[in-house]
Every structure is written in structure tokens, then in C-alpha cells.
Amino acid sequence: MAFLEVKDLTKKFGGKTALNGVSFTAERGKIIGLLGPNGSGKTTLLKSIAGLLTVDSGSITLNGEKIGLETKKKVSFLPERTYVDAQNTVESLFSLFKDFYDDFDEERAYRTLSELGIAPSARLKTLSKGMKEKVQLIAVTSRDAELFLFDEPIGGVDPVSREYVLGALKSRFGGDSTLIISTHLIRDIEDILDEYIFINDGEIFYTGKTSDGYGAAGSLDGLFREKFRW
């Protein structure tokens, strides 16, 4: 039985089909890239797996359990858009996570915060965009969840912050937890991936393992461009 199984998933918004018969499986301990252009269905798919959207048809199971209230406790989701009140302090954000999630490791969160030199009393509105992204990343990755879902975590940050995010992800994952990370920035992310899923127009059209190489394309970014030309 696969750790995560998505089967024949379909989701429509009005007359637009956001997901069309999407199916794939994921095993424990993998970092998987969900790769496609903006509007390809990445966010809808991640929100569906997180249990934040109700799909029209198909199924999603985590450890054989249908996505629902219980599985939400095992999934940590980082949305693309900032979701915290800018008036909050960093410590109030961590307090919120501690109250909301039993698996939140407060000691780990504050230790990482200290390494970055960010004061717990700092209000989020006073931090740069890159720093805000780092604080949210710390909060989400300080949970001991089984499945992490990150939606475009490097899309709007500067190169230095991007390097930090990627380094943090590479060091944090690889044990029992699985990470699915969506992005259109293939070149930046390919070195940390174990597997990849290409999605476009709500359909998965190519998957693979990075350990198998990319043939004549030479890189994952090259393979992505090659497949999209087809």
C-alpha cells in the first residue's frame, strides 16, 4: 500500500476543469517536485491533498485512510500566499502553532529562529518578504507531520532567501516524512528532488525519478522544456 495514493481526481470550478483524472502515488521519505506552469493545477492538487478542497470525483488516501479530519493532523501545508496577520509577532505565531498542532516542536522552532538572528518579539509587518517566508517555513517545518505540502515556497523571494529555503528543505527531509513541493522554477529545485511530476492543464503527463537521469535533455529543467514542447 502506497503512503499517499491519489486516484482519478477531478475538480471543476464552474465551467473550468482544474484537475482532470489525476492519479499518482508517493512513498515515505521522498522529496517530490510537482512541476508545471502557473495555472496548471498545482495549487488545486495540493489543497485537495491537504483536505482544504472537496473534489468532484476520485479519491485520496494517506496510509490507507481517506483524506479528512484525521489526516489533517498528519499534513503540514505551506500555501503560496502569506496567511498570517502581519500585526502578529513571531512568538505569537509560534504560540498559535503550538495550540493548534500537537506535533509542533517549539524548541526546534526557536532554535532555528535564533540561528537566523530574528527576535521572537519582532512583528511580521516589520520583516522583509524574505524573512517572513523564513518565519513561515520555520513554523511549518517545526511540525512532526508525516506529509508536507509546499506551494511555490521560492517563487517570490530573493536569491539569498531562496538558497536558505532550499538548504533548509534538503536538511530537514529524507527520513520518514514526505515532501511534495510545487514550483515552476525547475532549475532551482531539481538538485533536492528524489522524484518529479509534470502537470499541465490539470493533467499529469510525465513522472520520473531523478536517480534515473534525464537522457539527452541533460537536466530536469531541460527535460521539462523538452516534454512541454511535445
Side-chain angles (χ1 to χ4, degrees):
M1 179 180 66
F3 169 60
L4 171 68
E5 182 176 20
V6 177
K7 188 174 181 180
D8 297 328
L9 215 63
T10 297
K11 175 65 178 177
K12 296 182 179 181
F13 294 100
K16 178 177 173 55
T17 300
L19 298 175
N20 186 21
V22 168
S23 297
F24 73 94
T25 60
E27 302 302 333
R28 284 187 178 276
K30 302 297 183 182
I31 301 180
I32 303 168
L34 180 62
L35 312 176
N38 293 329
S40 59
K42 300 190 301 296
T43 296
T44 301
L45 179 54
L46 291 185
K47 285 185 175 180
S48 299
I49 297 171
L52 300 176
L53 286 177
T54 301
V55 298
D56 298 318
S57 62
S59 64
I60 309 169
T61 56
L62 187 65
N63 270 340
E65 186 176 7
K66 187 177 179 181
I67 291 294
L69 185 60
E70 287 303 310
T71 62
K72 285 183 179 181
K73 300 175 183 178
K74 305 172 184 177
V75 178
S76 189
F77 178 56
L78 179 66
E80 179 181 8
R81 299 180 184 278
T82 300
Y83 62 94
V84 294
D85 188 343
Q87 297 296 330
N88 284 349
T89 61
V90 177
E91 59 189 347
S92 67
L93 173 63
F94 288 175
S95 179
L96 179 65
F97 265 70
K98 183 180 178 181
D99 290 342
F100 213 80
Y101 302 110
D102 292 336
D103 61 3
F104 182 69
D105 188 336
E106 189 176 28
E107 182 180 343
R108 180 196 298 163
Y110 278 106
R111 184 172 63 248
T112 309
L113 192 71
S114 177
E115 292 171 357
L116 290 174
I118 302 174
S121 60
R123 292 194 180 276
L124 295 172
K125 69 176 183 179
T126 67
L127 301 178
S128 67
K129 180 175 176 60
M131 283 297 183
K132 287 178 186 175
E133 294 286 347
K134 290 175 184 176
V135 167
Q136 289 185 99
L137 182 71
I138 291 170
V140 171
T141 57
S142 291
R143 289 186 57 197
D144 289 320
E146 295 183 39
L147 177 62
F148 292 80
L149 306 170
F150 291 174
D151 192 6
E152 296 284 359
I154 60 173
V157 297
D158 60 85
V160 174
S161 296
R162 187 175 299 174
E163 186 175 334
Y164 169 81
V165 170
L166 294 176
L169 296 182
K170 191 171 184 178
S171 62
R172 172 69 176 83
F173 295 96
D176 288 336
S177 57
T178 294
L179 167 63
I180 300 178
I181 177 171
S182 84
T183 186
H184 61 282
L185 301 172
I186 317 298
R187 188 172 300 171
D188 291 292
I189 205 77
E190 62 181 281
D191 287 344
I192 73 167
L193 300 180
D194 298 305
E195 301 175 11
Y196 53 88
I197 298 169
F198 291 170
I199 185 171
N200 194 33
D201 292 331
E203 297 183 1
I204 291 176
F205 67 93
Y206 197 79
T207 63
K209 299 179 179 180
T210 57
S211 59
D212 291 337
Y214 311 111
S219 67
L220 183 57
D221 183 64
L223 183 64
F224 181 80
R225 294 171 186 273
E226 177 183 287
K227 296 299 180 183
F228 263 81
R229 278 200 300 270
W230 291 354

